[in-house]
Amino acid sequence: MTITHQPSFGILMIDDEASFLRSLSIALERRGGYNHLYRCQDSREAMDIIAREPIGLVLLDLTMPHLSGETLLKQIVEDHPHIGVIIISGLNQLETAVNCIRLGAYDYFVKTTEEDRLIEGVRRAVQMQEMRLENQAMRRKFLTDTLEHPDVFADIITQDKGMRSVFQYLESVSGSSQPVLISGESGVGKELIARSLHTLSRRPGPLVSVNVAGLDDNVFADTLFGHHRGAFTGADKARAGMIEQAAEGTLFLDEIGDLSLNSQVKLLRLLQEGEYYPLGSDRPKRIRARVIVATHQNLEQKQQSGEFRKDLFYRLRTHQLEIPPLRKRQGDIPLLLHHFLDEAAREMNKSCPTIPKELPVLLANYSFPGNIRELRALAFDAVGQHRGKVLSMESFRRALNLSASAVDSPDNPAASLFDPEQPLPTLQQAADLLVDEAMRRAQGNQSIASRLLGISQPALSKRLKKKESGPEDG
């Protein structure tokens, strides 16, 4: 069975006391969830281990025979400046601590300090190192504009630059153990993105998806944490929760914005401590899965209004990305339309219909409130009604007519349409501007332009002829 290393880089512990190395290893594994550990009892071997192994963080004792911790700190900082160093000393001396920080140490702890502070300090250092590695990877990808694993995204049909940036970001953060927040309107494909991230992470466990919308606090806890036999009335046998089922894999929580405040507290504790209690149990279990959450809601607004916990919001947004809506990916509409028409034709055992040349223009002027999911439904409906050689546009026209607005409209259109420092156009000038814009968006197609304007095609044709002939004399 493949074991997932946590973190992705190694943590090297250097101390001449074998008993302290053992106890520190146990604490890091049990309390921190870290298993990518290396021990060094002879300080003279430390630099060779660092050169040979993928070390990203060093926990260093100061008082050792042969090479002192201070000497090693200077060598590590000079030869491997990318490696973080935490000093763990038996001496509680302020001057020594300040000098170590000045030399480049990330933090300083005393061995007799309570274990919780030490584990939290290591956790902070690990997160800093992970963020540094991810930033390096992102800079490299954006500068070269490359994807290392394009095959992972084969099921996501797109040629959009914004989506390519999303893919590059996913590759950069795939090795992290931190949560990922995926935002985007309903129907943009957030679960596909979560699935791609899980594949990129190469975690040996499964992807387990849970839609948390509508779950009350008890059902949420039971779904995630599981329960022991007799934990509550009707619990006649033990049941593993989704966290346990996703062990060594990925736990995907969809519609996280709908979670109640009480359930938010439980999720926050899980992410902070890395531990949870199955219902009816007093023994904690460690979470070994990575957590990905998704929402179509604006969590920042929800936390400002008190509907979403601020501490959970900041914990979830360690890594965050937003999937652009379909109306901002107009170049993808023809690709997706072809794909869905072909899929529908195969499913209904029909020949794939020919697309009328004006259909992509019509769809480019539709706002798609349901995004990709809506386009798929329209395509399937059209193929279901299809009888001839050329695809009927009727179902698409109905969708356009039912839309409150064929294009994005701001909350206060009057505030953005006209410059308050400029004179207003006349009604005739405004009408001409509207006609020009409609014809531009419709790519010269009068039938589509008339629909955008809410007038008949003959009325639009009359306006265009009048416009071409110029104002009448007199």
Side-chain angles (χ1 to χ4, degrees):
M1 177 181 172
T2 306
I3 298 176
T4 304
H5 280 139
Q6 295 293 343
S8 57
F9 51 83
I11 300 175
L12 174 62
M13 299 164 286
I14 308 173
D15 197 299
D16 61 305
E17 297 180 27
S19 59
F20 180 73
L21 285 177
R22 278 196 304 274
S23 64
L24 182 57
S25 298
I26 292 170
L28 289 173
E29 191 156 2
R30 290 182 179 174
R31 302 292 308 281
Y34 302 125
N35 59 6
H36 201 177
L37 306 175
Y38 299 83
R39 300 184 200 175
C40 177
Q41 195 173 341
D42 188 334
S43 58
R44 294 171 297 185
E45 300 173 0
M47 296 306 290
D48 287 338
I49 296 174
I50 290 173
R52 188 174 65 246
E53 305 293 347
I55 305 299
L57 180 64
V58 172
L59 310 183
L60 177 62
D61 182 29
L62 280 185
T63 310
M64 295 182 292
H66 312 303
L67 287 176
S68 70
E70 190 170 320
T71 301
L72 268 178
L73 173 60
K74 291 176 182 176
Q75 289 184 12
I76 294 170
V77 170
E78 183 176 341
D79 297 345
H80 304 278
H82 61 282
I83 293 178
V85 181
I86 292 179
I87 302 298
I88 305 177
S89 172
L91 303 173
N92 188 4
Q93 296 180 352
L94 179 61
E95 185 179 345
T96 303
V98 170
N99 187 53
C100 288
I101 300 298
R102 183 181 60 81
L103 289 173
Y106 176 77
D107 214 334
Y108 184 104
F109 292 94
V110 180
K111 287 184 178 179
T112 54
T113 302
E114 62 183 42
E115 193 176 271
D116 288 348
R117 287 191 59 218
L118 174 58
I119 297 299
E120 185 56 37
V122 172
R123 188 177 284 126
R124 286 196 304 269
V126 166
Q127 289 178 4
M128 287 290 290
Q129 283 294 87
E130 287 181 335
M131 292 297 287
R132 185 188 64 79
L133 292 171
E134 288 152 15
N135 286 335
Q136 281 184 346
M138 274 189 281
R139 283 199 299 270
R140 185 172 64 250
K141 289 178 189 299
F142 288 128
L143 285 173
T144 58
D145 194 29
T146 58
L147 288 174
E148 294 178 10
H149 305 284
D151 53 303
V152 171
F153 308 105
D155 291 338
I156 303 176
I157 299 166
T158 183
Q159 59 182 9
D160 182 71
K161 287 184 178 180
M163 289 299 292
R164 186 176 181 83
S165 296
V166 168
F167 298 163
Q168 290 173 325
Y169 183 80
L170 290 173
E171 288 191 337
S172 299
V173 304
S174 61
S176 171
S177 59
Q178 298 302 309
V180 178
L181 169 61
I182 303 173
S183 302
E185 297 176 7
S186 294
V188 294
K190 295 187 287 292
E191 187 164 357
L192 269 179
I193 293 295
R195 192 172 298 280
S196 298
L197 181 54
H198 170 70
T199 304
L200 285 169
S201 71
R202 300 183 185 279
R203 301 180 71 90
L207 171 69
V208 175
S209 300
V210 185
N211 189 319
V212 301
L215 298 185
D216 65 30
D217 298 330
N218 292 330
V219 175
F220 174 77
D222 187 31
T223 300
L224 256 64
F225 307 144
H227 61 255
H228 279 201
R229 182 182 178 185
F232 50 84
T233 304
D236 52 351
K237 60 181 179 180
R239 187 180 71 81
M242 294 298 188
I243 297 173
E244 189 171 341
Q245 293 177 36
E248 301 290 346
T250 303
L251 178 65
F252 175 52
L253 304 179
D254 201 3
E255 302 297 353
I256 198 71
D258 293 327
L259 210 56
S260 72
L261 288 172
N262 285 338
S263 293
Q264 289 175 32
V265 173
K266 295 171 184 174
L267 179 59
L268 176 63
R269 190 177 297 124
L270 172 71
L271 296 175
Q272 283 182 333
E273 306 299 330
E275 294 179 343
Y276 66 98
Y277 290 84
L279 301 184
S281 171
D282 57 1
R283 297 184 63 183
K285 290 187 174 184
R286 287 211 62 81
I287 178 172
R288 293 178 292 152
R290 186 188 196 173
V291 176
I292 300 175
V293 301
T295 182
H296 69 278
Q297 302 188 48
N298 188 323
L299 292 190
E300 188 163 7
Q301 288 182 0
K302 287 181 74 75
Q303 65 93 8
Q304 288 173 357
S305 65
E307 299 175 85
F308 201 86
R309 291 184 62 95
K310 185 181 294 186
D311 43 9
L312 177 58
F313 172 64
Y314 287 115
R315 175 69 68 171
L316 290 174
R317 63 178 288 184
T318 304
H319 303 304
Q320 59 177 330
L321 56 102
E322 182 156 2
I323 313 303
L326 187 55
R327 62 181 172 276
K328 293 185 178 179
R329 296 163 46 190
Q330 290 193 359
D332 286 346
I333 293 175
L335 293 175
L336 289 163
L337 178 62
H338 276 280
H339 173 76
F340 291 139
L341 290 176
D342 186 57
E343 181 185 0
R346 288 198 311 271
E347 187 172 309
M348 299 178 195
N349 199 24
K350 293 184 174 183
S351 59
C352 192
T354 302
I355 299 175
K357 63 180 181 179
E358 63 267 30
L359 180 54
V361 181
L362 179 74
L363 296 181
N365 287 284
Y366 179 52
S367 61
F368 280 103
N371 290 287
I372 297 169
R373 187 183 295 130
E374 182 182 9
L375 176 58
R376 183 180 185 274
L378 288 172
F380 269 69
D381 185 43
V383 171
Q385 299 179 54
H386 174 61
R387 295 292 181 270
K389 209 170 189 181
V390 179
L391 184 70
S392 169
M393 291 178 53
E394 189 53 40
S395 59
F396 299 99
R397 288 196 180 106
R398 280 201 307 271
L400 190 62
N401 289 337
L402 288 172
S403 175
S405 173
V407 294
D408 287 330
S409 58
D411 292 335
N412 187 0
S416 61
L417 283 176
F418 304 110
D419 187 339
E421 297 183 3
Q422 298 294 325
L424 283 171
T426 65
L427 283 174
Q428 184 58 50
Q429 288 171 334
D432 288 344
L433 288 171
L434 277 172
V435 168
D436 290 343
E437 179 63 14
M439 289 297 291
R440 185 190 67 79
R441 295 189 181 195
Q443 299 180 22
N445 187 302
Q446 290 189 24
S447 176
I448 295 174
S450 64
R451 288 178 179 275
L452 295 177
L453 292 168
I455 60 177
S456 67
Q457 185 174 344
L460 174 59
S461 180
K462 184 177 178 181
R463 281 181 177 272
L464 288 171
K465 288 176 181 176
K466 185 177 179 181
K467 189 167 176 286
E468 288 173 5
S469 64
E472 295 180 4
D473 295 332

